[in-house]
Amino acid sequence: MKPPDLLGLRRPFEWAPGCRDSLVSLHAIEQQGWGRVSRLPVCLRIVLESLARHCDGRRVTPEQVRELAAWQAQGRRKGEVPFIVSRVLLPDLSGLPVLNDLAAMRAVAARLGRDPTSIGPAVRADVVVDHAVSVDVHGRSDALVRNLRLEYHRNAERLRLLKWAEQAFVHLRVLPPGSGIAHQLNLERLAEVVSAQDGLCFPDTLVGTDSHTPMINGLGVLGWGVGGLEATAALLNEPVAFAVPDVVGVHLTGSLRPGVTATDLVLVLTERLRRAGVVGKFVEFFGAGARWLPVADRATLSNMAADYGATCAYFAADDKTMAYLLATGRSPEHVKRTEGYLRAQGLFGIAQEGECDYTECIALDLAAVGATVAGPNKPEQRLALGDLKARFAALMADAGVADAGGDASAIRHGHILIAAITSCTNTSNPRLMLGAGLLAAKAVAAGLSVPAHVKTSLAPGSRAVGAYLEAAGLLAPLQALGFHIVAHGCTTCMGNSGPLLPGAEDAVKHQGLLACAVLSGNRNFEARIHPALKANFLMSPALVVAFALAGTVRIDPRNEPLGIGRDGRPVYLHELWPSEQEIDALMPHAQSPVHYRANGAQHGQEHALWNEVPASEGALFAWDPNSTYLVEPPFFQAVAADPARSAGVRGARMLVLLGDGITTDHITPNGAISPGSPAGRWLRETAAVAVADLNTYAMRRCNHQVMERGAFDNPRLANALASGELGGVTRHMPSGERLSIYEAAQRYRAEGVPLVIVAGHEWGTGSSRDWAARAPALLGVRAVIARSFERIHRSNLVGMGILPCELPVDVGPADLQLVGDELIDIEGLDDGVQPGMALTLSVHRNGRAAQRLPVKLRVDTLLEAHYVRAGGLLPHVLRAQLARPVEGSRS
């Protein structure tokens, strides 16, 4: 059913002779004098169209449409944008808790005597099972099938929830294990660019529960990552509210030099934009360089928006976009309609300099980019390829280690123990994948091989990649070097690298070795790739193959050989590096629609295993009381009660005191559950789970008992209250007793003491992991006091009713001289929560006057303030759903 045309903006348009549809006209908005819409950044025009189309006087008001239409590049920012998206993307790791929440909402509705089928997705939702597979088996032809079977075995219970949700909710579709990575499938298969419903055309827009959702911006689709809490609201047709943004224009000029890859470019861009400070801002690319880039390169740049901190990183659609849609199997009719709509709306084509107004512009000459890697533990730590050897030597000096000679076959500092071609960032890019295959082919021809200590893996983000590599004759040489396809999923990039080769982990631990991983991923945080590896370097797929051949990062591949060929001659990187002409000759294999259409077909081992998963039916999910994976969440228990007005935080203790750069991996790790951790002990002692079956925190995200016990269970966590001990420990005050963070939180709860966290810059960097807010909320954390917050995590804190309080720009944790025994008050909330309000932080020390300083409440919108007053986003959303029936559920 078409939405009401409250503003009178609907117009017909013809996209082919005799083919007419309608649209909500952006030109009409400008003609009415509301603003110079044609000067707006294209990404804001997309948002404006959504506001105008959904304007109903309730969720979106005419005033909000006019305010955005009148956006000024240098204007004062006020108000908020209630963005209503057309679909939601749910990778399984973060999507399963969303489905668990929806199931819990239905259970609450049933207990209150309401129709549970009134609750369900009102917009299209795609769940992609991509985060669960691990590289347990590698280097053999059956690795793909064996890892897939292990995934099904380990995650049978979680898959049961997906099977139930697929039949329970009308608008939900599940892409089962083995289908590929969500963002790559979104690019190649799911995205429409322009959608149509009942003859009304509109831009394809989305949010996704993964921080790399902006990858789709490279295709001209506006979308970004949110936490599972916001995604739940979006599924139920609630607005995704955000403050009116600044838009940073990135002016790209020139073209990449031969031999320079999109990976090199995105790592340079990540460092540049992180340094420029684009956190929480929209980014839009423009200029001749942006037009020159192929769509796959654009997607690589957009993919890492979260890593340079931007909300989105947008490329407008153009002729190359239309060609990409055809090459990946979209129908000619759909592409014609898409281009016709975009041209009719003035949305077609990447802007040239001077055509749009941006808050600020950053220039980047593509020709100035060279071969690049990043590490050892952050994506923005850019290194020129030739500087990696010296950088690693500095790491060794800082760690106080040196090689002492001995057995030449032994594992040493700098040895590469994982070499992984992984991640949608790069495996979605045919030029990068063909380049890696060509380098492998030349290496095999030269007689090179990969050293025995290197664990190699190839995990493309879709089955189409393997198909075109095989058609191009490049899969066999990759396999000859050990790069067999191990999975179609995230694997190493998100930490599912599996075990190291036999003996390697023991050698690293017992000898204190500084060993490495090289990967074509987007994240390399400490302890993420593998807990035994302290240095992880991001690089292009071809460089992953090259360094795998070398077996160490302690070489300069510009002038040192990667190995010795069968003729006894040293073989250098420049001899193996593929030319642009060689890649061009093979590109037709990667541009065949046949491969991409076949990738969407329901066939093969993946779907045979999926069809064997037991399917439960009915409107309500039947939680198994003995399950240690799927548990009804506790966030809706008091939903029937009126929310209490938020008051100040008084007499709080610090649970942890942390520094800069604390990631969601530090707060809620993904990795293996240790038998001796609070979560491991609970599973073993309370639920009788064997040590071999503890699995990972990532796989147990639908069990709050595990997740709250797993908060801060990261071996690299440096809590200043823990007297120098690393890991998930703290001191209880005033006793001073050393306890696990979970145990300390439980004692404080029993004592009736509220908790706060104090930290430095960029609190919550990394994956859009809403358990990094859910778990602290369950532990009793009322506020996080930090110098700055990462965008998605800040909204997740608000969604859980936790107050994000920002310290003054010139004040950090060290300036507060905290020792751990202080009592903390947050004053100024007695009259309610308002966006951006000034509060007072009072620190009380024994026998001394209180230290008082201002802090800013980073509750940024009126809707967020309402969430806090309601006790969190989930209770608010459920109350709204119970107040009105929502379509989109099967009865």
Side-chain angles (χ1 to χ4, degrees):
M1 185 175 67
K2 295 179 182 178
D5 187 18
L6 186 66
L7 301 176
L9 299 173
R10 192 170 296 150
R11 302 286 187 274
F13 81 101
E14 188 173 81
W15 51 271
C19 298
R20 292 171 66 86
D21 281 313
S22 63
L23 52 78
V24 173
S25 174
L26 293 171
H27 297 301
I29 294 176
E30 185 160 0
Q31 290 166 0
Q32 292 187 13
W34 293 357
R36 296 189 66 188
V37 176
S38 58
R39 296 287 306 176
L40 291 178
V42 180
C43 56
L44 286 190
R45 296 182 222 173
I46 301 289
V47 177
L48 178 62
E49 189 280 341
S50 173
L51 264 61
R53 179 163 39 91
H54 289 100
C55 182
D56 58 5
R58 182 181 61 85
R59 293 178 303 167
V60 183
T61 67
E63 291 73 21
Q64 288 169 321
V65 178
R66 293 189 182 98
E67 285 174 4
L68 188 61
W71 182 89
Q72 297 291 317
Q74 306 301 325
R76 178 174 171 268
R77 300 286 175 253
K78 61 179 182 178
E80 61 191 69
V81 179
F83 189 39
I84 298 173
V85 297
S86 57
R87 62 189 177 96
V88 175
L89 183 66
L90 299 171
D92 65 306
L93 195 63
S94 46
L96 271 163
V98 172
L99 299 181
N100 211 40
D101 287 342
L102 291 176
M105 289 184 186
R106 282 194 165 189
V108 171
R111 287 195 288 268
L112 294 175
R114 298 294 303 274
D115 177 9
T117 65
S118 66
I119 294 172
V123 300
R124 172 185 153 198
D126 291 297
V127 182
V128 183
V129 187
D130 60 355
H131 277 66
V133 66
S134 179
V135 187
D136 292 285
V137 182
H138 80 108
R140 47 189 294 169
S141 59
D142 62 349
L144 175 65
V145 171
R146 293 182 62 173
N147 286 326
L148 187 66
R149 287 175 177 163
L150 283 168
E151 178 183 1
Y152 270 89
H153 172 72
R154 288 173 177 151
N155 299 289
E157 286 192 55
R158 300 168 71 250
L159 296 175
R160 187 169 62 86
L161 175 61
L162 291 175
K163 265 295 183 74
W164 169 80
E166 191 175 44
Q167 63 82 39
F169 300 124
V170 170
H171 297 302
L172 185 136
R173 171 174 54 176
V174 177
L175 280 68
S179 299
I181 301 175
H183 309 308
Q184 188 162 339
L185 295 180
N186 197 16
L187 192 72
E188 296 175 356
R189 175 179 167 192
L190 302 178
E192 296 178 327
V193 183
V194 170
S195 303
Q197 187 174 0
D198 299 323
L200 177 66
C201 292
F202 50 91
D204 177 11
T205 58
L206 73 148
V207 290
T209 56
D210 187 275
S211 54
H212 293 98
T213 301
M215 183 174 188
I216 203 62
N217 298 169
L219 194 64
V221 175
L222 186 61
W224 55 81
V226 296
L229 305 172
E230 285 183 281
T232 302
L235 280 173
L236 299 173
N237 222 12
E238 292 282 321
V240 176
F242 56 93
V244 176
D246 288 346
V247 182
V248 177
V250 177
H251 185 203
L252 299 181
T253 58
S255 57
L256 295 176
R257 291 177 286 135
V260 178
T261 69
T263 312
D264 302 320
L265 173 58
V266 75
L267 295 177
V268 168
L269 185 77
T270 298
E271 180 200 41
R272 179 79 180 275
L273 295 187
R274 175 64 74 170
R275 190 171 61 233
V278 299
V279 173
K281 300 177 182 179
F282 283 22
V283 163
E284 182 168 299
F285 296 93
F286 70 99
R291 291 185 174 188
W292 176 84
L293 288 171
V295 166
D297 286 9
R298 298 173 188 176
T300 295
L301 268 59
S302 296
N303 176 281
M304 290 186 70
D307 302 292
Y308 42 85
T311 299
C312 58
Y314 190 75
F315 287 86
D318 61 4
D319 290 330
K320 290 184 177 179
T321 312
M322 300 305 111
Y324 181 89
L325 292 175
L326 290 171
T328 50
R330 275 77 161 197
S331 72
E333 180 186 50
H334 175 74
V335 175
K336 286 181 181 178
R337 176 188 246 166
T338 296
E339 182 171 345
Y341 172 86
L342 295 173
R343 289 187 180 278
Q345 288 279 57
L347 299 172
F348 190 86
I350 291 173
Q352 292 282 39
E353 185 177 13
E355 292 181 352
C356 291
D357 297 324
Y358 297 107
T359 307
E360 61 177 304
C361 290
I362 297 171
L364 179 62
D365 180 4
L366 301 183
V369 175
T372 302
V373 300
N377 53 32
K378 289 184 180 178
E380 65 266 28
Q381 293 167 331
R382 182 193 65 82
L383 294 164
L385 176 60
D387 294 338
L388 176 55
K389 181 179 181 180
R391 174 66 177 128
F392 194 81
L395 290 177
M396 291 179 61
D398 291 343
V401 298
D403 277 329
D407 185 357
S409 66
I411 297 173
R412 298 186 174 210
H413 297 297
H415 271 188
I416 294 166
L417 303 187
I418 291 177
I421 300 176
T422 178
S423 171
C424 53
T425 309
N426 293 293
T427 69
S428 63
N429 193 314
R431 294 193 72 84
L432 296 176
M433 297 305 291
L434 292 171
L438 282 165
L439 191 146
K442 294 183 179 184
V444 171
L448 296 184
S449 60
V450 173
H453 59 263
V454 182
K455 180 178 180 178
T456 50
S457 61
L458 167 59
S462 82
R463 296 195 298 261
V465 176
Y468 70 65
L469 285 174
E470 186 169 23
L474 298 179
L475 192 57
L478 283 165
Q479 292 171 337
L481 296 180
F483 288 96
H484 291 76
I485 294 179
V486 297
H488 296 113
C490 298
T491 62
T492 303
C493 187
M494 59 81 58
N496 283 356
S497 55
L500 301 180
L501 294 181
E505 188 163 354
D506 286 342
V508 170
K509 290 181 178 178
H510 295 155
Q511 300 174 41
L513 295 177
L514 198 59
C516 306
V518 296
L519 64 151
S520 64
N522 48 46
R523 291 275 163 82
N524 57 341
F525 301 138
E526 55 185 348
R528 179 186 178 97
I529 304 307
H530 191 283
L533 303 184
K534 297 179 181 179
N536 308 298
F537 294 97
L538 306 179
M539 57 188 64
S540 68
L543 283 178
V544 169
V545 176
F547 274 99
L549 292 166
T552 180
V553 297
R554 295 172 66 182
I555 68 162
D556 181 351
R558 299 173 307 167
N559 49 46
E560 295 181 64
L562 300 178
I564 304 299
R566 66 167 53 90
D567 59 1
R569 185 182 61 85
V571 180
Y572 293 86
L573 178 62
H574 68 84
E575 298 176 283
L576 304 182
W577 198 262
S579 69
E580 299 302 313
Q581 294 74 21
E582 288 173 316
I583 297 175
D584 288 341
L586 296 178
M587 277 297 292
H589 294 292
Q591 295 171 330
S592 170
V594 173
H595 300 316
Y596 299 92
R597 291 185 182 130
N599 189 35
Q602 298 270 333
H603 70 275
Q605 179 75 16
E606 297 91 342
H607 293 282
L609 291 170
W610 175 246
N611 292 335
E612 293 173 5
V613 175
S616 60
E617 298 182 356
L620 297 176
F621 181 70
W623 280 283
D624 180 353
N626 297 316
S627 174
T628 59
Y629 284 91
L630 302 174
V631 180
E632 184 174 356
F635 307 115
F636 307 100
Q637 292 174 352
V639 75
D642 291 331
R645 187 173 68 177
S646 177
V649 177
R650 299 189 185 279
R653 294 284 188 184
M654 285 183 290
L655 182 61
V656 290
L657 173 60
L658 301 165
D660 294 340
I662 297 299
T663 71
T664 51
D665 283 61
H666 289 107
I667 306 167
T668 310
N670 259 347
I673 299 172
S674 168
S677 67
R681 291 198 305 270
W682 182 85
L683 285 168
R684 291 188 298 113
E685 297 167 6
T686 304
V689 175
V691 171
D693 296 326
L694 291 177
N695 212 324
T696 66
Y697 288 112
M699 298 305 106
R700 293 190 181 273
R701 281 188 175 181
C702 290
N703 185 334
H704 61 278
Q705 299 279 9
V706 171
M707 297 307 294
E708 66 175 321
R709 287 168 171 81
F712 302 103
D713 184 23
N714 185 302
R716 303 282 190 269
L717 186 77
N719 174 19
L721 305 183
S723 303
E725 182 178 356
L726 295 180
V729 294
T730 193
R731 284 187 299 146
H732 169 267
M733 291 297 172
S735 71
E737 185 178 351
R738 176 203 175 279
L739 296 171
S740 74
I741 289 172
Y742 173 77
E743 290 167 334
Q746 298 313 300
R747 185 173 296 185
Y748 284 127
R749 183 190 301 277
E751 296 166 347
V753 176
L755 298 173
V756 298
I757 291 169
V758 179
H761 278 303
E762 297 178 352
W763 170 265
T765 300
S767 302
S768 55
R769 196 169 299 162
D770 57 344
W771 264 109
R774 291 183 188 231
L778 290 177
L779 293 179
V781 172
R782 295 285 308 281
V784 176
I785 303 158
R787 298 190 73 174
S788 62
F789 295 86
E790 200 72 353
R791 178 185 63 86
I792 297 176
H793 184 64
R794 184 206 61 81
S795 68
N796 281 336
L797 292 173
V798 171
M800 290 308 301
I802 296 176
L803 303 173
C805 299
E806 195 167 78
L807 290 163
V809 293
D810 57 346
V811 176
D815 300 303
L816 299 176
Q817 297 181 335
L818 301 170
V819 298
D821 62 352
E822 296 86 357
L823 290 173
I824 292 176
D825 298 339
I826 299 174
E827 303 167 356
L829 287 163
D830 290 340
D831 294 327
V833 176
Q834 297 299 326
M837 65 192 303
L839 303 175
T840 299
L841 175 70
S842 293
V843 180
H844 302 270
R845 296 179 169 87
N846 290 332
R848 287 187 285 168
Q851 178 184 6
R852 295 167 60 86
L853 70 158
V855 293
K856 179 181 179 181
L857 181 62
R858 286 298 313 280
V859 172
D860 292 351
T861 68
L862 288 169
L863 188 58
E864 287 186 342
H866 186 73
Y867 293 158
V868 173
R869 291 192 295 268
L873 184 151
L874 293 176
H876 161 77
V877 168
L878 181 53
R879 289 187 187 101
Q881 293 300 301
L882 293 175
R884 65 177 188 273
V886 175
E887 63 170 325
S889 302
R890 291 189 174 98
S891 58

